[in-house]
Amino acid sequence: MQIPVFTVDAFTNRPFFGNPAAVCLLENDLDEDLHQKIAMEMKLSETAFIRKLHPEDDFARSSCFGLRWFTPANEVPLCGHATLAAAAVLFLVQKNKNSVLTFVTLSGELRARQVEDHIVLDLPLYLTYPQVLQEVEELIKAAVGDMVVQDLRYSPGTKKLLVRLSDAYERSVLEELQVSAQCFLSAEKTGKVKGLILTLKGNSSGKHKGYDFYSRYFAPWYGVLEDPVTGSAHAVLSSYWSEQLGKKEMLEVKAKNASKEISGLYGSYNENAVVKYFENRYLFLFSNPNWKKGF
């Protein structure tokens, strides 16, 4: 059985920028273990598998599909950049003409729509709750050392720990922070954390004024030491910063990519995008991604 595989640079329209994901189009059911083996072979942070829900479905004409995401280590319940990549393959490669595509996933139904030369994702929001420092103190120490932590939150819906550093820190501090994410595995003792978000309030003045917050994300529990940009982390960040700032629309800049800086939420360099908050959902607006086909 041959499976078409595409590599999509999400959150950018330039090759070798953004965040890459693999996308596989499944005409038929795939043996369960092959999903993980293919993801391991692709060696990207996420591999998305789009499957038909009914035998008569067609990638160019149908509007609803199944979608799963795998890291090289295991399956994950939500991935934003691989969802964008999946939508891009259907809209741009398969020439699907539906105005809205629906994906049936472990996180419920997710929707993507094409608006001119952009793709808009509709993803869930996850609330955070105060986290007792003593329970995760060793993990925090491994992540940020003796830096001042202003707020500590936990999202049970995503198993992510959000660490907000002191507002006194500049963006460069978060950018230049040397993090050994592999150490998180032994430092996390509760068994409930599967992702760690470092975040910092944006500046209202200076060189980087206009950004609402900065962030970095680490998920060694899923075999991803640092993910350049991730929609699942923003399902938590959007909820948290909307509450903190009292805003429904925000602009974020990734503080650091593993190999290059990303300016603007899920954009590269001069490409910016916004996150809009609507009750229990949030919307991301992106430029159409760059893609190439495998075999």
Side-chain angles (χ1 to χ4, degrees):
M1 176 176 60
Q2 290 189 336
I3 300 174
V5 180
F6 301 84
T7 301
V8 181
D9 293 328
F11 316 134
T12 182
N13 55 12
R14 304 165 62 188
F16 311 114
F17 286 79
N19 195 7
V23 178
C24 300
L25 297 178
L26 302 182
E27 292 281 354
N28 304 292
D29 289 339
L30 189 66
D31 290 345
E32 194 66 20
D33 65 323
L34 286 181
H35 291 83
Q36 192 62 66
K37 289 179 179 178
I38 292 172
M40 291 174 64
E41 182 77 13
M42 296 308 298
K43 293 182 173 65
L44 295 173
S45 62
E46 307 286 347
T47 297
F49 294 87
I50 308 174
R51 71 183 187 279
K52 296 178 178 180
L53 297 178
H54 308 97
E56 66 274 14
D57 284 348
D58 185 278
F59 290 122
R61 294 192 295 271
S62 301
S63 61
C64 188
F65 302 93
L67 182 62
R68 298 172 70 181
W69 311 277
F70 286 78
T71 75
N74 45 30
E75 186 173 11
V76 294
L78 177 64
C79 179
H81 87 275
T83 303
L84 175 62
V89 168
L90 293 174
F91 280 134
L92 305 179
V93 182
Q94 299 297 310
K95 306 300 182 185
N96 193 299
K97 298 302 181 184
N98 287 287
S99 58
V100 178
L101 297 176
T102 300
F103 296 111
V104 179
T105 78
L106 290 176
S107 293
E109 292 189 353
L110 309 180
R111 292 176 177 81
R113 70 177 188 269
Q114 193 166 23
V115 181
E116 297 177 348
D117 62 344
H118 292 77
I119 294 175
V120 178
L121 295 184
D122 177 2
L123 302 175
L125 274 175
Y126 291 93
L127 299 177
T128 62
Y129 302 92
Q131 169 64 48
V132 177
L133 174 62
Q134 287 71 21
E135 288 185 353
V136 292
E137 192 167 10
E138 187 175 341
L139 176 59
I140 300 301
K141 184 78 171 179
V144 300
D146 295 324
M147 294 180 69
V148 179
V149 174
Q150 181 157 328
D151 198 6
L152 191 59
R153 299 291 187 100
Y154 179 69
S155 168
T158 64
K159 298 184 178 180
K160 298 188 193 307
L161 183 68
L162 183 151
V163 182
R164 176 182 174 180
L165 299 177
S166 170
D167 292 349
Y169 293 123
E170 297 288 336
R171 167 187 168 181
S172 59
V173 174
L174 182 57
E175 269 186 335
E176 297 166 6
L177 181 64
Q178 299 297 309
V179 178
S180 179
Q182 194 65 38
C183 296
F184 295 178
L185 298 177
S186 58
E188 205 289 294
K189 306 297 187 183
T190 68
K192 69 179 185 179
V193 177
K194 299 300 179 183
L196 188 142
I197 302 168
L198 297 181
T199 189
L200 186 64
K201 185 179 179 181
N203 296 331
S204 58
S205 61
K207 178 182 177 181
H208 303 296
K209 67 179 180 180
Y211 293 107
D212 292 296
F213 61 94
Y214 312 126
S215 70
R216 292 175 66 181
Y217 177 67
F218 308 87
W221 299 272
Y222 288 125
V224 181
L225 295 182
E226 180 167 6
D227 204 343
V229 279
T230 169
S232 63
H234 284 83
V236 176
L237 285 160
S238 300
S239 173
Y240 175 78
W241 283 111
S242 178
E243 176 188 1
Q244 294 293 308
L245 301 175
K247 300 178 69 172
K248 297 286 186 179
E249 182 172 326
M250 293 171 286
L251 183 64
E252 186 244 4
V253 58
K254 292 301 298 178
K256 185 176 181 179
N257 184 316
S259 61
K260 55 187 175 291
E261 177 183 344
I262 292 186
S263 298
L265 179 60
Y266 290 166
S268 62
Y269 292 90
N270 293 324
E271 298 167 358
N272 294 322
V274 297
V275 52
K276 295 184 178 181
Y277 167 76
F278 296 95
E279 300 303 328
N280 64 338
R281 309 289 295 180
Y282 73 101
L283 297 180
F284 276 147
L285 176 66
F286 307 109
S287 297
N288 282 335
N290 178 76
W291 64 273
K292 57 181 177 289
K293 186 176 181 180
F295 59 89

